[in-house]
Amino acid sequence: MTDHVRITDEPGGVRLVQLVRPEKKNALTGAMYDAMREALEGADREGSGVGAVVFAGADGVFTAGNDIADFVARADASFGEAPSLRFIRRLAATCTPMVAAVDGLAVGVGTTLTLHCDLVYVAPAATFRMPFVDLGLVPEAASSYLLPRRVGLPKATELLLLGEAFGADEAVRLGLANAVVPADGLLEHALAQGAKLAAKPRQALAAARRLIRGDHAAVQAAMDAEAEAFDAALRSPEAQAAFQRFLSRGTR
């Protein structure tokens, strides 16, 4: 486990999974991915008492994405065994409804994670970005499959290939978020919406989620294809050069 992920079971059957690594803008390490995956696995267990999971950041940041130093340290291992991939596979398979409360930076997986959430609420300062190509990598978390189906192929291509940032209002306009909520009430609102989901009849809610989400096999196939391409890209000279540029900026 890690102190950088705070997991609490809140009133109303809601499990709060909160990223608390403010000194690194909540950048995700392997240990943090493992903690989040275990929180989801526990929520899905029969008798857990958890009816919804809420993801949130802390100190005005959701997450800056992967911790690049941690990622580089794992580059020699197969991406198929990476904690990040195990987490996003669990994310796609989770039966428990999920809500995201996004404030500040939501970079890389900080954005793609929300594609798997049932409800997404954003503070006015929320900023989304998927800079995979800029890092010499490819999209992940089935974003290459899910995003075009949410926003259309031209816009998805723009967001994934150009990797440019977009804000809270644009996220709502594109259908990637439900509403903009004042920052000081964001977490409370997300927890309240999670409690509403948790109070629904469980079997009916689970069946409705399966119908809404559609073909899970297609999502899994997209993740498999992305993982293979990501593994190859991760070892490429382009990616290694991009990582070194990023890390050198942090030491200046």
Side-chain angles (χ1 to χ4, degrees), residues 15 162 249:
R15 174 162 293 177
L162 294 181
R249 288 204 303 269

Side-chain angles (χ1 to χ4, degrees), residues 22 24 33 108 132:
K24 293 292 185 178
Y33 277 119
F132 302 113

Side-chain angles (χ1 to χ4, degrees), residues 2 9 25 42 61 71 82 111 129 131 137 151 154 191 194 200 204 248 250:
T2 172
D9 287 341
K25 298 181 181 178
V61 175
F71 222 56
T111 295
R129 188 175 174 228
L137 300 172
V151 305
L191 291 170
K200 304 286 184 185
S248 66

